[in-house]
Amino acid sequence: MSGTSEGPAPAEDLGRPAVTERGAEADPPHSSRPSSAHAAFAAAPLAMAVVDRKGFVRSANEAFAALFGGDPGALAGQAAAELVDLASDTRTWHAYRDVLRGRQARLRCTRRLKHPDGHSVWVQITVAPLPDADGGGAVLLSVRDISVRRELQARLRHLQMHDPVTRLPNRTLFFERLSGALDPGPYEEGGAGRIGLCYLDLDGFKAVNDTLGHRVGDRLLAAVAERLTRCADEAGYARAATPLVARLGGDEFALLVEDSTGTEQLADLAESVLKAVQEPFDLSGQRLSVSASIGVVERRTSETTATGLMQAADTTLYWAKADGKARWTLFDPERNAHRMTRQALSSTLRPAVDRGEFALEYQPLVGMEDGELHGVEALVRWHHPQFGTLTPNRFIGLAEEDGSIVQLGRWVLRTACRQARQWQLEHPGVEPVFVSVNVAVRQVWDSDLVADVADILAETGLAPRLLQLELTESAVMGSAGRPLQALQALSDMGVRIAIDDFGTGYSNLAYLSRLPVSVLKLDGSFVRGFRYDGGTHPNPADEVIVEALVQLAHRLGLTVTAECVETSGQATRLRRIGCDTGQGWLYSRPVTPDRISELLAGTGT
Ligand code: C2E
Ligand code: MG
Ligand code: MG
């Protein structure tokens, strides 16, 4: 019947015996044993009590009684479970009951007991049956004072969890607290809380260590720790919790705000820390000025993990350093996404050409006088399996950095030439359109561009005059030796060279005229500069410059293409100034080859 009862219920017969029973059991134990054994029990330094099967103390020794500030006789008949607090947790209570009933061999647990004089002791309690012959079915309860051991353990834990130089919590304790804060207990409501972190690194601490020695370095760290603690105390004033200040290693510190109210609170904290650290330090006569860089991250606890938070903090601290140090920077998801995609992109760039993830779009180049389609510029797109369609600004730079531009550029050239030839064959009645292909500097330097072009023209059957190569000003400026020879060879072959984005670099027309260049593509910023001041008058300065440029270009035998023509107003003025060709949304956005086919079909007979 009692076996079915659940939970700590010391109400049953294990706790409060009938008076008669207590009286009957109050004799000392082992009354039949020689008195020397009895004396040994009574005087043993280990606190012991014999407890009957119902849970009442039959007899206790001096040491046991001392724990409770009384004499052994007074303890007899008391419920042992109450004396040593065995009923406060269910598991121990059940185990204790099982030992009393002979169903379990032994119970061991740790308890903190309060001595009547006020001090508390940590004890280890063991309950084990006495041999039947000796105990008459009783159990022996022994209580070992482990306060000293506990104290040592606690001190050891403190040592393991704190940094000896600054006395701050160390990395281990910091992560313990962080995980605790992110992992709401079963009774707490998860998801409502926010957490914030200031991750700080001293600027130029290594120099202090190297020039003034480690002792000064250590003193500086301790002084910084003090200031951080002060900032945390001030921030925690009148709030439920004070931010935890920890030294994560070297000259890295963290301030953890476990009950953040939002980024503003973290920004205030970071600002105060920055100021506090910048105040000069007086280290036993040495005056030292340092600064700190701080990465600030603030999030909902339900949306972050310890690793995620630390990674974000690390990245943000890096930004703070990269942006010029002595500042705090707030985590910016967009900046982070950019960094991640840059990494992800560069690792998938090389194989992407083989996997056929690139495609070309073509943007019409239209005659300003006749409004007809003369050519198209090939613009590469990357249909990335994860990131969707990417424009060249996202990956051409990366491809140049890692050299994969050579392979990619060759693919672009071949695809564009093949396409131009195909249009020509499909629309025999129409004046063939030329294709303009962008060429990166590295393609000129790192590959045999001339041989590639010759091979591809031969392979596709495209006439050289229907191919134009676009190079940027900076790619051809100062070119001598190989690039110049390459340009010359291409020009001799009949391929046209255009200077892309003209006007953004040196704009040295006189120099350009000595190179085998035949087209200038006026950068979009010029055309965009044709804005109306106050909505009525065009900006005459821009127009004068562009007009002069176009006239000079014409005198040098170059034709001019205007990029980024978006409005008919711009087109009218560009035409008046003398631009030969226009490219831009006014005419068409970059489109698929099929769309160009349709345009060609429309202009044909
Ligand atoms: P770009 O050669 O100056 O190409 C013109 C860029 O301006 C294209 O951007 C085009 O879409 C955009 N554009 C055209 N008309 C307008 C307009 O009216 N308004 C505005 N706002 N923009 C206009 P896209 O396709 O993003 O290409 C960017 C750059 O990437 C190109 O600038 C070129 O330098 C480079 N690029 C593109 N394809 C290749 C390639 O196959 N190889 C190499 N090396 N670079 C390429
Ligand atoms: Mg271009
Ligand atoms: Mg351009």
Side-chain angles (χ1 to χ4, degrees), residues 377-379 438 470 500-501 521 563 583:
E377 178 176 359
L379 296 162
N438 293 284
E470 298 189 10
D500 203 355
D501 306 335
K521 291 191 76 178
E563 295 185 276
Q583 174 182 5

